[in-house]
Amino acid sequence: MKAEFEGIHPDEGTIHAWLDGELDAPDAARVEAHVATCGSCAERVAEARGLIAGASRVVGLLDERPVPLLRPTVLATTAAKRSPWRVTPMRSAIAALLLVAAGLTLTRDRIAMEFTPAVPTAAGRMADSAVLAVAEGKDAAATLAPSSSAPQVGRPTDSVFASAVAKRVAQDQPARGVGAAHGIAIPDAPPTPAANVPTLNAEPAREVSRGQMAAKLGAATADAAADKAKSSVAQVAAAATCYRITSTDTTRLWGGVVLPMEIALASTAAPSDSNGARLAITGVRGGGTIGSWSRLPGDRLSLSFRALGATTVAVLAPAGQRLAGTLSSRQSTLALSEVVVTGAASPVARSRADSLAPRAVAGRDVSLRRDSASARTAEERRLPVVATPIDCPQ
Amino acid sequence: MVTPERLKTLFDTYHQPLVRFLSRQTGDRDLAEEVAQETFVRALKQETIASERSWLFAVAMNLVRDEARKDARRRRRLELMRDEAEAESVVQPASTSMERDEERALARQAVEALADRDRDALLMREEGLSYEEIAAALDLSVGSVGTTLSRARRRLMEAYEALQSAGSAKRGEEES
């Protein structure tokens, strides 16, 4: 064959590049001319076409379902900044605190189901559909749906978690019957309507800012509670101290949370709240992760919180102007009610809880305490971290 | 510095392909979402990004390779075992959706069988990356992308077809 005499049979890679439209014009013309006159190359081209189409089909088979389009709502903060109703991370944190206070007992079955080891994915799907039912059946929970697509807080588990909280709170409030109705004591907040609950969910969903989901959770939770029981639980003091937690290894996806993250420590004045001090994560993962904190002797700080399905304990000791320690996280089948403050705060520690400031004390040994309740959980992951004090986001 | 406006554009343009790419890589949609988020967080910290799409896919890929990789593998295996168990438990003539599940399990196995680089290149190409972008993301020469892709496609199809015929042979034995 003439082409063979010319010695320019394109190799397989070149044929693919040609079919992919990635050869420059002279090369493409050369391959085209060759293939037109070379029977064996024409066959190879036909085979390559089949491979390209087949491989594309096989890759497409991997897709379980279409990927929904998530909106980058977290970045659309400009409009929110202009509004006096805007939700600041601080307010969100406080709203998240209310959420904790209101939803303290929670979702044992939900979380257990999520982490049944044998069939984790199937269990996850079951759980998702269960929560969809909640969202459809309740206005309060339904408001969670749009904000759940905000990227910073957008994992399905967050809305699952939130819906579970809203549901459980609605169920629990009549029985618990705690106190009279209180709103959230948000600094600079506009007057709240009759239920003393910020109507944040009246804002357009497309302008949801980073912290807004958390605030919505608080509002939705409180709405649900007020509707059912005409009471809400927590009156949260505004005082808070904030830290940014980083690790030398920032690539770690840790316990469902991506570092670095920011945490807000706040105390609460709610008499029903025996733990006294709350922690909210205001960083990457928004309001889905909540917990409690306390002071330990020696100015150490004990954190205990969870992302959905992972319980985390850390004791941070002063190290110069910062705090250092180890985050220890494990997958958990626990209910939120079983998340405890490690090394329960003494009365003294509690009274100092809202004036926590880093002190220049020499570094100390870091002691890790495990929740006794998390003993039946599986893998533990530990990550050395440093907590740097920051201004609380306004 | 990548401005928030620019990041929004990046996000609008690339989030969906990135999540799909990562889901295909890991077989784990939740992990894919997390890694995609982290990728955009990192983009925000960049002074400049020369080739955005290459950069995003390369960073996402490296994140997957990092610590999360082992976890993802474990979960993937569990999923595979489950899919296989489901496929094997089919007694009635397979319905369309069961065929689809089985096909997906086979596809997952076949993709798993590829060398990392071949798989990366193929999944990136399926998201529309040019040879130049794939070369930048994978630190290859542009000239070798065609070879990499042709090898990936051929091996994928060989693996998939081998798994398919193994599966139907097994069913044949069970039926007879």
Side-chain angles (χ1 to χ4, degrees):
Chain A
M1 265 182 284
K2 181 179 152 200
E4 282 169 353
F5 294 119
E6 291 173 2
I8 52 165
H9 290 300
D11 64 20
E12 191 178 11
T14 306
I15 290 174
H16 280 250
W18 177 54
L19 293 174
D20 281 339
E22 292 279 350
L23 289 186
D24 58 26
D27 285 347
R30 216 169 58 234
V31 172
E32 189 171 0
H34 177 85
V35 168
T37 58
C38 173
S40 68
C41 288
E43 279 175 27
R44 291 167 63 212
V45 167
E47 187 199 20
R49 281 187 205 280
L51 289 176
I52 291 172
S56 190
R57 192 183 81 84
V58 171
V59 167
L61 288 174
L62 297 175
D63 299 337
E64 200 158 320
R65 50 189 185 269
V67 177
L69 183 63
L70 299 186
R71 297 183 52 84
T73 45
V74 66
L75 303 167
T77 53
T78 315
K81 277 180 186 158
R82 283 196 292 269
S83 164
W85 291 78
R86 74 195 166 93
V87 178
T88 66
M90 187 58 233
R91 293 177 194 173
S92 307
I94 291 169
L97 302 190
L98 172 67
L99 178 68
V100 187
L104 199 53
T105 61
L106 172 71
T107 62
R108 182 189 303 267
D109 48 353
R110 160 76 184 94
I111 290 166
M113 184 164 66
E114 174 88 3
F115 285 94
T116 301
V119 284
T121 309
R125 282 190 204 119
M126 284 163 59
D128 284 352
S129 53
V131 165
L132 281 180
V134 172
E136 285 161 9
K138 193 189 301 286
D139 288 342
T143 64
L144 301 171
S147 45
S148 71
S149 23
Q152 300 275 3
V153 293
R155 293 182 65 235
T157 45
D158 286 332
S159 61
V160 166
F161 180 77
S163 300
V165 171
K167 182 184 181 188
R168 182 55 183 253
V169 166
Q171 290 170 345
D172 276 4
Q173 285 310 305
R176 300 181 67 188
V178 186
H182 292 293
I184 309 171
I186 297 179
D188 305 318
T192 53
N196 271 345
V197 171
T199 54
L200 298 169
N201 48 359
E203 291 195 25
R206 63 181 175 277
E207 291 299 324
V208 174
S209 66
R210 174 193 300 193
Q212 202 159 341
M213 179 179 173
K216 282 192 173 194
L217 299 191
T221 305
D223 275 335
D227 287 346
K228 283 264 184 177
K230 306 236 184 291
S231 75
S232 63
V233 184
Q235 188 162 31
V236 181
T241 307
C242 295
Y243 289 89
R244 177 175 292 115
I245 296 184
T246 55
S247 171
T248 48
D249 182 359
T250 54
T251 62
R252 295 287 283 264
L253 296 168
W254 153 86
V257 177
V258 180
L259 291 176
M261 65 179 176
E262 294 171 10
I263 60 170
L265 308 180
S267 64
T268 166
S272 61
D273 180 6
S274 58
N275 284 329
R278 292 297 176 197
L279 171 153
I281 294 183
T282 61
V284 174
R285 290 291 305 283
T289 309
I290 46 191
S292 55
W293 64 278
S294 64
R295 292 290 297 274
L296 298 177
D299 287 329
R300 286 177 303 156
L301 182 64
S302 167
L303 307 178
S304 174
F305 56 96
R306 60 176 302 131
L308 185 68
T311 301
T312 296
V313 180
V315 176
L316 303 174
Q321 295 299 310
R322 305 193 289 188
L323 298 167
T326 303
L327 288 185
S328 173
S329 134
R330 40 177 62 219
Q331 279 206 346
S332 168
T333 57
L334 305 180
L336 183 59
S337 57
E338 290 173 303
V339 175
V340 297
V341 180
T342 57
S346 68
V348 173
R350 197 173 302 162
S351 69
R352 296 167 62 195
D354 59 359
S355 62
L356 181 80
R359 290 172 174 77
V361 178
R364 295 163 196 271
D365 287 344
V366 171
S367 69
L368 272 173
R369 292 163 185 264
R370 291 179 188 169
D371 296 355
S372 58
S374 64
R376 61 200 160 102
T377 59
E379 176 185 19
E380 181 179 76
R381 304 182 65 188
R382 297 172 62 154
L383 186 62
V385 292
V386 172
T388 309
I390 57 171
D391 292 333
C392 284
Q394 290 302 312
Chain B
M1 188 72 184
V2 174
T3 65
E5 292 73 26
R6 184 69 201 132
L7 186 64
K8 181 180 185 306
T9 311
L10 280 182
F11 191 97
D12 282 342
T13 311
Y14 296 122
H15 181 266
Q16 189 174 349
L18 209 50
V19 168
R20 186 169 49 223
F21 170 76
L22 289 164
S23 298
R24 288 169 170 180
Q25 278 270 3
T26 65
D28 183 332
R29 175 63 192 280
D30 285 347
L31 180 65
E33 295 271 8
E34 277 186 10
V35 172
Q37 284 184 20
E38 175 63 11
T39 305
F40 285 107
V41 168
R42 287 175 182 227
L44 192 55
K45 295 176 188 160
Q46 288 297 305
E47 288 298 314
T48 53
I49 299 177
S51 167
E52 287 161 351
R53 189 150 62 165
S54 297
W55 188 92
L56 289 169
F57 277 79
V59 168
M61 197 183 67
N62 288 332
L63 283 171
V64 165
R65 291 282 152 71
D66 274 357
E67 194 60 27
R69 181 180 189 177
K70 293 169 199 158
D71 290 346
R73 282 260 156 104
R74 255 175 246 133
R75 273 180 273 185
R76 231 150 49 197
R77 288 208 184 94
L78 285 170
E79 198 172 348
L80 265 183
M81 291 188 315
R82 190 207 58 208
D83 287 351
E84 282 168 6
E86 282 177 359
E88 283 169 9
S89 69
V90 173
V91 180
Q92 301 296 322
S95 73
T96 307
S97 77
M98 279 173 169
E99 279 168 11
R100 167 100 177 119
D101 285 347
E102 189 178 0
E103 280 184 328
R104 185 188 308 139
L106 293 183
R108 166 66 50 207
Q109 278 179 284
V111 169
E112 287 277 310
L114 294 179
D116 284 350
R117 174 154 292 187
D118 291 358
R119 179 171 56 242
D120 295 340
L122 180 58
L123 294 182
M124 286 179 186
R125 181 64 193 176
E126 289 297 316
E127 293 303 335
L129 272 71
S130 70
Y131 279 27
E132 209 167 316
E133 288 170 322
I134 293 170
L138 296 180
D139 206 16
L140 292 170
S141 72
V142 177
S144 65
V145 173
T147 309
T148 306
L149 280 175
S150 65
R151 182 176 57 233
R153 286 160 170 162
R154 176 177 293 282
R155 290 189 177 163
L156 178 67
M157 292 315 291
E158 285 169 357
Y160 183 75
E161 283 160 10
L163 289 163
Q164 255 188 336
S165 52
S168 46
K170 197 171 171 184
R171 270 196 303 279
E173 282 168 24
E174 282 163 3
E175 280 162 16
S176 61

